[in-house]
Amino acid sequence: YFFLIFNANTLRGEDVSSEIYDLLRRLGENVAGFQNLKTDFIQEKNLAVFKNKIIMKGKIYLQKPNKIAWHVDKPVKYSVIITDKSIRQWDEDTNQIQEIVLSNNPVFQNVLNQLTVWFSGDYTSLLKDYGVHVQQKSPAVFEFIPKENNAAGKIIKSITISLREDERYLKQIKILEAGGDSTIIIFKDTVFNVPAESLDFEVKRRVR
């Protein structure tokens, strides 16, 4: 169940226009102006070998600098807790907790570290690893494409982020995977700087 599981300006090598850099910096400052958040999400997974979509619904909790909790409520109950050290996941069917130590999987660690940046808003830090196309300036829509030296390119073909009308946070992320699958994550009812509860970051909180 794990979720990883144009009129454009383009970055060339290390070059980036000052206009694009300033736009990314400004939007990043807007998005980054919180310490924690919770948001509802709808995730649509399209598998290249099937026509049907897999649709999941639940909540995401983010606590800076590097903690994300995904709790899927429908169609199954499933939870993932991501930190800079490990991934812990649980699903209702097996009622088992699995843990992946990221130091043993550097490619996966690279992808997850960068995914945390998408959520947190430090977009200019991605320029060394991604080329970027500006698909729309207001509200902003960007497509990020891994550069050849980026390990994330083994898993991801491109990531497109769309900001809300007020540009305070993400409206959706679209991930095209190297194998042809795609995932769209739509964010709804996002709330910033609410008191975090410890159970929000417990992988088995759904069975307590």
Side-chain angles (χ1 to χ4, degrees):
Y1 305 117
F2 185 55
F3 65 93
L4 285 175
I5 21 277
F6 311 118
N7 291 324
N9 294 303
T10 307
L11 289 177
R12 296 179 296 277
E14 296 299 320
D15 298 329
V16 56
S17 73
S18 60
E19 181 182 9
I20 292 179
Y21 183 88
D22 289 345
L23 183 58
L24 287 175
R25 180 185 54 77
R26 178 180 63 80
L27 293 172
E29 289 174 352
N30 290 346
V31 172
F34 64 90
Q35 289 302 310
N36 59 65
L37 66 79
K38 66 177 180 179
T39 184
D40 294 344
F41 75 92
I42 300 172
Q43 177 177 309
E44 299 178 0
K45 178 80 173 183
N46 293 280
L47 303 175
V49 295
F50 299 109
K51 293 183 178 180
N52 293 339
K53 295 180 180 179
I54 301 172
I55 299 178
M56 302 181 193
K57 297 181 179 181
K59 292 185 180 295
I60 294 173
Y61 298 85
L62 187 149
Q63 182 172 307
K64 291 184 177 180
N66 49 28
K67 186 182 290 186
I68 303 175
W70 295 68
H71 296 294
V72 177
D73 296 324
K74 298 178 181 179
V76 295
K77 292 190 182 300
Y78 171 71
S79 294
V80 179
I81 309 300
I82 303 169
T83 69
D84 58 342
K85 305 295 184 184
S86 67
I87 300 169
R88 302 184 77 228
Q89 52 188 336
W90 167 88
D91 68 87
E92 185 178 43
D93 290 342
T94 66
N95 197 27
Q96 299 293 315
I97 295 175
Q98 296 180 325
E99 184 167 6
I100 301 171
V101 178
L102 293 179
S103 60
N104 298 331
N105 194 324
V107 173
F108 209 30
Q109 183 178 30
N110 178 278
V111 172
L112 289 175
N113 287 345
Q114 293 175 17
L115 186 64
T116 302
V117 174
W118 306 118
F119 287 167
S120 300
D122 186 15
Y123 302 137
T124 56
S125 70
L126 297 165
L127 295 178
K128 65 181 183 298
D129 294 317
Y130 289 85
V132 59
H133 298 276
V134 180
Q135 295 186 341
Q136 181 175 298
K137 288 188 177 181
S138 183
V141 180
F142 294 96
E143 180 187 40
F144 291 85
I145 300 173
K147 294 183 179 179
E148 290 184 4
N149 62 346
N150 184 353
K154 296 180 180 180
I155 299 174
I156 293 171
K157 184 177 180 181
S158 68
I159 298 178
T160 302
I161 63 169
S162 303
L163 270 66
R164 307 188 317 189
E165 291 286 339
D166 63 4
E167 295 185 338
R168 285 197 65 202
Y169 200 63
L170 304 175
K171 180 180 180 180
Q172 74 170 39
I173 296 179
K174 181 176 181 180
I175 303 170
L176 296 181
E177 299 176 24
D181 296 348
S182 64
T183 300
I184 296 176
I185 305 168
I186 301 168
F187 302 92
K188 301 178 64 178
D189 300 325
T190 303
V191 181
F192 303 98
N193 296 322
V194 293
E197 298 182 13
S198 59
L199 286 179
D200 295 337
F201 293 95
E202 289 289 336
V203 76
K204 286 189 67 173
R205 77 175 192 129
R206 295 308 194 187
V207 294
R208 294 189 178 188

